[in-house]
Structure formats: C-alpha cells, structure tokens
Amino acid sequence: MLRMPLTILLQRLLAGIPIVLLLSLVVFVVLRAIPSDPLAMMLPPSATRAEADALRAALGLDQPLYTQFYIWLEKALGGDLGRSYLFQQPVVGLILRALPVTLELVVVGLLLALIISFPLALFAFSQYGKRLGFVPDTIVVVMQSIPAFLWGLLFIALFGVFFPVLPFSGQVSPSLHLPVITGFMLVDTLLLHDTAAFRDALTHMVLPACALALGFCPLVVRVLRSSLIEASKEPFVLVARLRGVPRRRILLRYIQKNALLPTITMIGVQFGFLFGSALLIEIIFSFPGIGSLMVGAVKSNDLPLIQGVAIVFGVLMVLINAVVDALYVVLNPLLREH
C-alpha cells in the first residue's frame, strides 16, 4: 500500500533536481547582475586598488561568469555553499543554525492555523445558506485584511506593551544559556528535561506563532469551506442521508474527508508564502532564524549567503511539494487504483 506513495515521492524529488539547478543558475546570474561590489563591505576605506584586485582574485570574482558558476556548482554538489563575506564562516554552518529556528516557527504556526481554521470552516459550513451565514464570512474577511506582520505588531502592542503578559523578543530569555542539540528550541528543552526552559521558550513562541497562524487562517478557511459545500452536494452524501446515516457521521466521515484533499494541496502550494511570512515575523520578534540571516546578508551584499539561503528555500519547496503529492495519493483511493 505504501509502495505507490513512496514511488510518487521519489519521482517528485527526482523531478525537482532540474528545478533546483535552474534556480541556482538564475539566482547566481541575478545576484551578479546587481550593480554593487561585495568587496566594498570587506575592505577598509584605505584599501588600495592592488589589495582589491588581490581579494577579488582570491574570491574568484575575476573569472568569467560561467566559470564562477561552474566552480560554485561543483563545490555545492559536494556540500560546500561557500564562505560568508559578512560572517567569515561557512554558509552551510550558518544556515544549519538558523534553519531549525524558522522551521520550528513555521510548524507551530501551521499547527495553530489548522487548529483555528478547521472549527471556523466547519462553523461557516454549518451556517451556509442560513440567516447567520454572514458572521463567519465577516470574520474571515476581517482576518484576511490583516497580514501576518501586522498581527505581530498588534500583538506586541497589546500583549507586550499595554498588557505585558508575554515576551516578544527572542527565542528565550537572555539569562538562559542552553546547549544546542537539534536546533529546535522546544525540542531541545524537552530533551534536556528543563521544564522552566521549555515554558520560557513556549511563551516566547506564542505571539509570533499566533501572528503567523492568523495570517494564514483565512485562506485555509475559505478553501475548506468551499470544499465542504462542494462535497456535500455529491451523490454519495445524498445516498447516505437517504439510508439514515447521522448527519454528524456524514460530515466527519464522508464530507470532511473529501474536502481535505484540495485543502492539503492548497497548504502545500501556499507553504512558500507561509515561509515568507515567517521571515518577516522573525525580524519583528528578533528570532535568530533565516529571516534575520537573510536581512544581514542583503544589507552586506553577501552573495554566497544570499545564494545559499535561496537554494535551501528552493530545496524545501521541492521536498514539501513532493510530500504533499504523496500524501494526496494516500488520502485519495481513486489514485491508488491506477
């Protein structure tokens, strides 16, 4: 039974290789087409032209563009994404330290979004065609008009300034110094059996995760509600009702299961936007994730770091889309029959 989903997953991953290679080429060319010199951030103002030329040669920036890309690609295939001009550290190490922070925020935000969206979508579906049908629609429209970063600013003002009940800066309190095990703060505190540190990390996660979740909720609610309405009009639902199957069982076992398919697909497609929102949320809440890393790299015109982050982001998108396609096969029996 698992053979087909695994086959689909492998096929999608293999098909994603040319996409990542093309993305690498595009990012490489575009970054070097920008009229700015990365050496300006690395050399002192008193540097001579000879020193600039020597550094340019040491970094390989004096080579033709196709030669630079070939050298970079050869190293990248071996796991070397270069050395950051700004931090003077390997790009891979910087990304591996920052990526778990972003992934943890995205996963928690996504889980919160689903927890909020499913009951709201079911409520909106239950009120479809009724007198109070405008209430959930109004709630969704209001939520949709507020982007994730604005939710973050509102939460900081409300729960951090006017009613200071939750922290709004950093992953943990500055007084905590925890060893890094996995890079996922909530997981690490559990592995260390440090209950106080876990509570501290969790309270720091509440506001940014809620801001990210509320920015993503309206889209999930709209798609799931529409899918529920469409599934409720299918012939098998009418047959189940005629056979006397309870409405609650029809909703949970038949309608909701079929409505989940387009919703899961939408979440996979929109995951990139969720990831992008997380980068802004990280900056607002001072999370040391990919967002903060990317801002510093862009300000300093750190080409290796910018390109490394872009490639990792592309690989994540390919991996997520592959998992979504495989999950779609698991949930849809019709696809397993062919």
Side-chain angles (χ1 to χ4, degrees):
M1 181 177 178
L2 293 175
R3 183 177 300 176
M4 180 173 291
L6 291 176
T7 302
I8 295 294
L9 179 63
L10 181 60
Q11 290 175 347
R12 296 296 184 270
L13 291 177
L14 292 176
I17 294 176
I19 298 175
V20 175
L21 291 176
L22 180 60
L23 174 64
S24 304
L25 178 61
V26 172
V27 172
F28 192 93
V29 173
V30 169
L31 287 178
R32 282 149 184 81
I34 298 175
S36 60
D37 190 356
L39 299 184
M41 301 296 297
M42 305 175 64
L43 292 170
S46 59
T48 63
R49 185 177 183 84
E51 291 174 336
D53 291 340
L55 182 58
R56 191 182 304 275
L59 296 175
L61 299 178
D62 60 336
Q63 300 290 331
L65 191 60
Y66 61 87
T67 303
Q68 294 183 41
F69 179 72
Y70 175 78
I71 294 173
W72 177 88
L73 182 61
E74 186 177 27
K75 292 181 178 180
L77 293 176
D80 181 9
L81 294 177
R83 190 175 181 85
S84 168
Y85 298 160
L86 174 63
F87 298 98
Q88 290 300 306
Q89 297 180 35
V91 170
V92 173
L94 292 171
I95 293 177
L96 289 179
R97 285 194 295 271
L99 186 59
V101 178
T102 302
L103 288 178
E104 185 174 51
L105 176 59
V106 169
V107 170
V108 175
L110 180 58
L111 291 177
L112 282 175
L114 296 179
I115 291 172
I116 298 171
S117 299
F118 274 68
L120 186 55
L122 291 174
F123 173 67
F125 170 68
S126 67
Q127 299 300 317
Y128 174 68
K130 297 182 180 179
R131 182 178 300 179
L132 296 179
F134 71 94
V135 175
D137 291 339
T138 303
I139 295 174
V140 171
V141 170
V142 172
M143 293 175 62
Q144 196 169 18
S145 64
I146 304 177
F149 75 89
L150 187 53
W151 280 114
L153 296 176
L154 291 174
F155 286 158
I156 289 175
L158 184 60
F159 300 109
V161 179
F162 295 114
F163 304 100
V165 294
L166 288 170
F168 56 88
S169 179
Q171 274 188 296
V172 292
S173 299
S175 58
L176 287 179
H177 300 283
L178 302 172
V180 178
I181 302 176
T182 65
F184 298 92
M185 188 61 66
L186 295 176
V187 177
D188 287 353
T189 53
L190 288 176
L191 293 176
L192 293 170
H193 304 289
D194 193 334
T195 306
F198 176 78
R199 285 198 302 266
D200 187 85
L202 189 60
T203 54
H204 280 77
M205 179 66 71
V206 170
L207 293 185
C210 285
L212 189 62
L214 291 179
F216 192 64
C217 276
L219 187 58
V220 179
V221 173
R222 283 184 173 275
V223 173
L224 183 56
R225 174 180 176 270
S226 300
S227 300
L228 288 169
I229 294 173
E230 185 176 347
S232 66
K233 298 177 181 179
E234 293 292 333
F236 65 85
V237 175
L238 178 60
V239 172
R241 288 174 178 169
L242 292 176
R243 295 180 60 183
V245 180
R247 294 178 61 88
R248 182 180 179 85
R249 184 179 180 186
I250 293 175
L251 174 60
L252 298 179
R253 184 171 180 179
Y254 301 105
I255 298 178
Q256 183 175 269
K257 184 177 180 180
N258 285 274
L260 284 177
L261 296 177
T263 306
I264 291 174
T265 303
M266 181 277 301
I267 292 174
V269 172
Q270 297 294 325
F271 187 85
F273 295 97
L274 183 65
F275 203 95
S277 298
L279 302 186
L280 290 175
I281 294 296
E282 285 179 0
I283 297 171
I284 294 173
F285 288 93
S286 301
F287 264 49
I290 292 292
S292 302
L293 193 66
M294 193 67 167
V295 168
V298 171
K299 287 182 178 179
S300 304
N301 197 24
D302 193 339
L303 301 185
L305 185 53
I306 296 174
Q307 183 156 317
V309 172
I311 299 309
V312 169
F313 181 76
V315 171
L316 280 175
M317 293 303 100
V318 169
L319 179 60
I320 291 166
N321 287 325
V323 171
V324 169
D325 288 343
L327 185 60
Y328 198 91
V329 173
V330 172
L331 296 175
N332 194 339
L334 295 177
L335 295 179
R336 295 199 298 267
E337 295 175 0
H338 299 285

